[in-house]
Amino acid sequence: MASAVEQFFTVKAKIAAAEREAGRLAGAVTLVAVSKTFDANAVRPVIEAGQRVFGENRVQEAQGKWPALKEVSPDIELHLIGPLQSNKAKEAVALFDVIETVDREKIAAELAKEIARQGRSPRLYIQVNTGSEPQKAGIEPREAVAFVTRCRTVHGLAIEGLMCIPPADENPGPHFALLEKLGLESSVEKLSMGMSGDYETAIAFGATSVRVGSAIFGAR
Ligand SMILES: *Cc1c(COP(=O)(O)O)cnc(C)c1O
């Protein structure tokens, strides 16, 4: 099997090709390399190959892995892409540079409190449950624009983007299109959408970042 570094370069090339095909600017799309379940030894070669933006879905796992890696490469940008419990807001604000999974009032309030307390401001995205799946995190699409507004006005949070995870068994295109529409309506600049199986499609629909795990690091 190809190494993570080889697969990383393959994914980078496919992102560049998808940007060209969609008439997007070269470099318009950021690759978030999703390293969940892979340890520091698996991640280090990809950092050495030049990747700087990584995604983790669990606060605790990231705390065990990233502080030492960030010490060696301080320009690493770490994204939280998994659900955030309000009792982990403190740790999340301390460690992550982008939190992509803000999806309810209580989390918004906790984050605002911690940002004020720590004087550290991770960039924030709202997760939208575009498929209205009961088991999935994220705000309902019809509530998303009002929630972005409340985060800004009630909690004083700078909301930079929206994120979604389409239902596994559906064509992702309509979900990406819905996220793009909600992004326009709520005046956010960033759209985090697309994973190993559909990142090229997401780029065609306007993704500004794609979260790719298994296509780089292998099966989990
Ligand atoms: C695991 C995960 C990914 C990466 O999934 P792959 O299919 O391995 O690329 C992307 N986004 C989220 C939210 C994830 O939890």
Side-chain angles (χ1 to χ4, degrees):
M1 204 187 81
S3 71
V5 167
E6 287 170 307
Q7 300 200 109
F8 159 66
F9 284 119
T10 300
V11 168
K12 291 288 282 183
K14 286 184 173 178
I15 290 172
E19 286 172 342
R20 276 194 303 277
E21 189 138 322
R24 313 264 318 266
L25 289 175
V29 179
T30 299
L31 169 62
V32 180
V34 177
S35 48
K36 65 187 186 196
T37 78
F38 291 94
D39 66 13
N41 290 331
V43 175
R44 209 172 282 113
V46 178
I47 299 173
E48 283 163 5
Q51 177 63 10
R52 284 297 177 274
V53 185
F54 289 88
E56 288 282 343
N57 71 333
R58 288 174 196 275
V59 175
Q60 213 160 346
E61 180 186 343
Q63 278 179 312
K65 195 188 305 184
W66 284 98
L69 292 168
K70 274 187 153 186
E71 205 156 298
V72 178
S73 311
D75 56 342
I76 277 172
E77 179 180 298
L78 199 56
H79 291 225
L80 178 63
I81 60 170
L84 179 58
Q85 310 303 325
S86 50
N87 63 1
K88 287 280 185 347
K90 179 179 167 193
E91 286 87 346
V93 167
L95 179 61
F96 288 94
D97 303 292
V98 180
I99 297 175
E100 297 199 9
T101 51
V102 181
D103 66 350
R104 57 195 188 279
E105 203 76 36
K106 190 171 177 207
I107 288 294
E110 268 320 302
L111 289 172
K113 197 173 85 186
E114 282 304 325
I115 287 167
R117 219 174 55 88
Q118 299 182 32
R120 187 175 195 281
S121 296
R123 285 137 54 200
L124 303 175
Y125 295 8
I126 305 296
Q127 182 176 353
V128 183
N129 187 359
T130 55
S132 297
E133 295 173 281
Q135 81 286 6
K136 199 166 268 174
I139 188 107
E140 282 295 308
R142 66 176 179 282
E143 297 169 9
V145 176
F147 182 60
V148 172
T149 302
R150 276 205 310 286
C151 284
R152 288 171 170 155
T153 56
V154 178
H155 302 289
L157 296 171
I159 302 298
E160 186 174 290
L162 302 181
M163 175 272 220
C164 75
I165 311 169
D169 54 354
E170 283 182 31
N171 172 7
H175 296 272
F176 297 151
L178 174 57
L179 199 72
E180 197 203 10
K181 171 176 165 285
L182 295 172
L184 284 172
E185 288 172 7
S186 52
S187 304
V188 303
E189 286 175 14
K190 307 283 189 181
L191 298 174
S192 170
M193 54 192 199
M195 316 194 339
S196 290
D198 55 17
Y199 64 92
E200 290 153 297
T201 306
I203 290 168
F205 279 94
T208 59
S209 63
V210 292
R211 311 176 308 269
V212 179
S214 50
I216 296 172
F217 292 104
R220 289 181 294 272

